[in-house]
Amino acid sequence: MSLIFEKSVPGKTAWTLPSSDVPAAPLDTAVEKQLRQGTPRMPELAEIDIVRHYTELSRRNHGVDSGFYPLGSCTMKYNPKINEDIAEIPGFQWAHPMSPDSFCQGSLRVLYELEQAFCAITGMDYFTLQPAAGAHGELTAMFIIKAYHRQRGDSHRLKVLVPTSAHGTNPASAAMAGFEPIPVQCNAQGLVDYDQLVSLLDDHVAALMLTNPNTLGLFEKEISAIANRVHQAGGLLYYDGANLNAIMGIVRPGDMGFDLMHLNAHKTFATPHGGGGPGAGPVGVKEYLQPFLPAPVLGESAAGLFWDWDRPQAIGKVVGFHGNFGVLLKALAYIKALGGPGLQQVSQDAILNANYLRARLQSSYSVPYSQFCMHEFVISATNLPNHIRALDIAKRLIDFGYHPPTVYFPLIVAEALMIEPTETEDQATLDQFVQTLQQILIEAEQHPELLTSAPHHTPVSRVDETRAARSPKLHW
């Protein structure tokens, strides 16, 4: 497919400017530093060429609107279109982030009500909506943890414990904040090895980062005991909220003993995402951590809502302006549309769909942890005929119109495929997916070359992933 610049034809235009009603100013009267040094490179196309170009591009991408997207740990659920309509209301869409507080009370009310909703859903006492993505929320939380310990004179607490079932961003976020990430192994049931965790707890531990349910889709049954031991050791318990879609209305991190957490507002609360954004990673804290939240925080007085910058213990500002307002607005619309019972139904349906798929696939594929799961589960492509690997299955699924599941993660399962169906898929879709995976298994036995050379129906077939990542050929 040609680039839009390669389609450019001199003289073609998609617009016509009206005649100017003021005298033209000669260029030499402009301020010199504002003058361009050369002609800007712009494609010259008719409107129809532009529309067809971007329509074709969109057809080459697979999204939730195109088909099933069971990308484990990413909660790629369908996003109701009414949320987009609400985000495009002119009063919100054109609100300027530098407007005085008195000019934007409606937008501030959106943020305030969303903070209150997040507190009710999670059991936290306060939220900041600033972080622009999930990993950004993790990093923000790590800085809050560091500020908390420093304020208590515990600056020597520089270890952060991270289970091997955690998301890969967890140890990276801890390291970026200046902590030393220490792995905690999982036991035979896929849960945190409690005895090893206890053995690692000492007065140098700042926190334990925990995802519950974890990336195997399993709920940590000993979470109360884990929280108690971490607190007894003087550490904080941090909740990675990437898997919150499994527990809404059922259990709250704040009630499980977590001290702070982040949410993936785009994933759980239905904003289209992927490919780097847009996202939002709000961070919630218990009351004793509230002084360290990034400045400013929302306050309320008789005159209305206002940004409170008088925050002497705050970790600072973590994003330009006040976060990704459009994503946050869509999250509030989604929450208000469903209400508490609706959010609980979301989680229950997500769990039901995941367990339905797990139960139907476990007679065909290896399921290393076959107990009742939450919103996702992991199968393994080990011991498949003709040395077929997880990557081969993933590539072949593309030929059948599916986005592949997450592969080779979590690292504690060999040849892993992590599947998250989400609550928005019906039984017919799930059944068709099962039939496809069973068909692929037959092909693995009878025609393995169909898998090892897949995909066959895409603009680009099998690529060398390592070279593609490390030596990308980009042109524009």
Side-chain angles (χ1 to χ4, degrees):
M1 180 178 174
S2 301
L3 299 176
I4 194 167
F5 288 97
E6 295 169 338
K7 295 177 178 176
S8 178
V9 176
K12 274 196 169 184
T13 61
W15 46 268
T16 302
L17 289 178
S19 301
S20 175
D21 59 355
V22 296
L27 283 179
D28 56 8
T29 63
V31 179
E32 185 175 356
K33 66 179 181 180
Q34 293 179 330
L35 292 176
R36 287 184 179 276
Q37 299 304 307
T39 303
R41 185 184 177 218
M42 300 291 289
E44 297 178 69
L45 297 163
E47 180 177 313
I48 191 172
D49 300 323
I50 298 168
V51 169
R52 286 175 177 170
H53 175 77
Y54 286 106
T55 301
E56 177 62 20
L57 272 181
S58 71
R59 287 175 177 165
R60 295 185 176 219
N61 284 323
H62 184 96
V64 177
D65 291 350
S66 305
F68 190 29
Y69 205 130
L71 192 65
S73 210
C74 285
T75 311
M76 301 298 286
K77 60 169 137 187
Y78 176 75
N79 311 287
K81 298 298 177 264
I82 190 173
N83 297 338
E84 302 300 322
D85 294 338
I86 292 170
E88 290 175 0
I89 293 174
F92 291 131
Q93 189 177 21
W94 299 108
H96 197 286
M98 296 185 71
S99 298
D101 296 346
S102 58
F103 278 27
C104 51
Q105 284 295 299
S107 297
L108 296 184
R109 182 60 60 182
V110 166
L111 300 179
Y112 181 81
E113 291 191 13
L114 184 59
E115 287 182 2
Q116 299 303 306
F118 283 161
C119 287
I121 293 169
T122 64
M124 293 292 155
D125 297 319
Y126 295 94
F127 261 88
T128 174
L129 305 178
Q130 283 190 34
H136 192 199
E138 293 178 23
L139 183 64
T140 300
M142 290 297 104
F143 283 130
I144 291 173
I145 291 170
K146 178 168 278 189
Y148 167 79
H149 288 304
R150 183 179 295 149
Q151 180 262 345
R152 291 164 55 91
D154 284 345
S155 298
H156 60 282
R157 289 185 177 272
L158 292 175
K159 293 181 180 178
V160 170
L161 307 182
V162 185
T164 53
S165 59
H167 292 98
T169 48
N170 285 183
S173 296
M176 286 184 69
F179 292 109
E180 178 187 5
I182 306 293
V184 183
Q185 300 302 317
C186 289
N187 60 25
Q189 290 74 47
L191 306 175
V192 169
D193 186 326
Y194 181 75
D195 292 336
Q196 196 214 11
L197 170 65
V198 172
S199 72
L200 292 171
L201 290 170
D202 58 28
D203 61 2
H204 289 275
V205 170
L208 168 66
M209 301 181 79
L210 196 62
T211 310
N212 195 20
N214 62 27
T215 55
L216 294 167
L218 304 176
F219 192 85
E220 297 286 350
K221 297 176 182 176
E222 295 188 281
I223 184 59
S224 294
I226 290 172
N228 288 337
R229 293 305 294 260
V230 171
H231 290 152
Q232 288 170 6
L236 295 176
L237 190 58
Y238 169 77
Y239 183 85
D240 180 329
N243 291 348
L244 190 86
N245 205 57
I247 65 169
M248 291 185 297
I250 301 173
V251 66
R252 307 191 304 175
D255 299 335
M256 288 189 257
F258 287 90
D259 301 288
L260 71 169
M261 63 176 292
H262 87 269
L263 291 168
N264 290 75
H266 46 292
K267 291 165 58 172
T268 311
F269 301 102
T271 281
H273 59 282
V283 170
V285 299
K286 289 292 191 180
E287 186 165 10
Y288 40 87
L289 295 175
Q290 189 264 359
F292 310 108
L293 285 174
V297 298
L298 268 178
E300 187 172 28
S301 68
L305 295 164
F306 67 97
W307 288 116
D308 181 4
W309 289 88
D310 186 14
R311 309 279 301 166
Q313 292 182 283
I315 62 169
K317 206 170 190 311
V318 299
V319 73
F321 304 117
H322 306 296
N324 284 338
F325 180 76
V327 176
L328 300 170
L329 176 57
K330 284 181 250 187
L332 183 62
Y334 180 76
I335 291 169
K336 282 185 171 293
L338 292 178
L343 292 175
Q344 184 183 49
Q345 189 69 48
V346 162
S347 292
Q348 291 172 336
D349 289 349
I351 294 169
L352 179 63
N353 278 359
N355 280 282
Y356 179 76
L357 270 187
R358 177 188 57 78
R360 290 215 55 194
L361 287 172
Q362 64 184 5
S363 62
S364 307
Y365 287 84
S366 169
V367 180
Y369 302 97
S370 58
Q371 63 264 47
F372 183 86
C373 67
M374 298 297 285
H375 67 312
E376 62 189 359
F377 63 101
V378 177
I379 65 175
S380 173
T382 53
N383 302 320
L384 292 186
N386 296 308
H387 307 291
I388 293 299
R389 305 181 62 204
L391 184 66
D392 301 322
I393 296 172
K395 297 296 186 185
R396 185 61 175 147
L397 278 170
I398 296 173
D399 284 335
F400 288 96
Y402 296 105
H403 191 286
T406 297
V407 294
Y408 299 108
F409 187 79
L411 301 176
I412 51 180
V413 175
E415 295 294 325
L417 293 109
M418 192 198 321
I419 300 171
E420 181 181 359
T422 82
E423 72 281 1
T424 53
E425 303 300 334
D426 62 13
Q427 185 178 348
T429 301
L430 303 184
D431 287 340
Q432 185 62 50
F433 185 62
V434 170
Q435 291 173 20
T436 301
L437 282 172
Q438 291 171 340
Q439 170 66 28
I440 289 175
L441 205 54
I442 294 171
E443 292 177 352
E445 294 175 349
Q446 301 177 357
H447 304 288
E449 69 282 1
L450 282 176
L451 277 69
T452 54
S453 58
H456 304 279
H457 309 306
T458 52
V460 178
S461 186
R462 184 78 65 103
V463 298
D464 181 327
E465 278 81 8
T466 303
R467 286 186 60 196
R470 296 180 180 175
S471 303
K473 292 182 179 178
L474 303 177
H475 64 128
W476 58 87

